[in-house]
Amino acid sequence: MTPTPLESAARALSDTINGMRFAAPVSHVYNPLAYAWAPNAAYLRRFGQGGKKVMFVGMNPGPFGMVQTGVPFGEIAAVRDWMGIVGEVGKPEIENPKRPVEGFACERSEVSGRRLWGLFAERFGTADAFFAEHFVANYCPLAFFDGGRNLTPDKLPAAEQGPLLAACDAHLRQMVEILQPEWVIGVGAWAEARAREALAGLPVQYGRVLHPSPASPAANRGWSEAATKQLLALGVWKE
């Protein structure tokens, strides 16, 4: 099967970042584009073809979402039941005993993903209806751990961030050139800032929604309503 443009771009990014090394406090690095390629490729092939109006960009994989399913914000029920995607998930090169990869058998829920995909399911009904004009991607595909603690890429030292951000910038630009969205919406402020830098000069409009993480008190007070309000105010969605 000939790979789609997004599949080829994701493979190239995976090959580039696989050789990168990160010092303490990073204890483990997971690359779901490698060990969870099958469901990731299914997601890109099924939902990442044709032009899009809106592209949402997250930061990096969560331990019970994309780390398990290979799909951005990949809450298992949303990926399996709403998108209809399943696939073989292997193991990272060095598995973190505190964050085992169990694939679609994982019983933990990714709250951010449950909130994000829950809003889209509520507003659009079917996955096909949502993805007709929307797409969701992660800026950085790597997950970083300090033992049992999740580390985000913005916390890495500048010397380690540099090559990683350069690779992720180039990949994001490729995705936008392929999908030609009118809007690029950062899920959280950092993702929006990275998108603005990576995509400078391209004819896109930018915005952001509140990150749905349970670590955010504002998100816990009603993320779906807040995000909808932000998208309506931007003009990305209509009443």
Side-chain angles (χ1 to χ4, degrees), residues 147-167:
R149 196 162 65 93
N150 196 41
L151 291 174
T152 49
D154 58 316
K155 303 294 191 291
L156 298 171
E160 292 181 352
Q161 274 194 46
L164 176 64
L165 299 188

Side-chain angles (χ1 to χ4, degrees), residues 134-148:
H134 300 74
F135 190 69
V136 178
N138 261 335
Y139 171 76
C140 172
L142 296 181
F144 302 93
F145 300 100
D146 171 6

Side-chain angles (χ1 to χ4, degrees), residues 41-62:
Y43 172 75
L44 297 177
R45 180 171 290 273
R46 179 165 174 195
F47 298 122
Q49 304 210 52
K52 306 292 180 184
K53 180 186 173 188
V54 186
M55 181 171 158
F56 291 93
V57 179
M59 193 177 203
N60 76 314

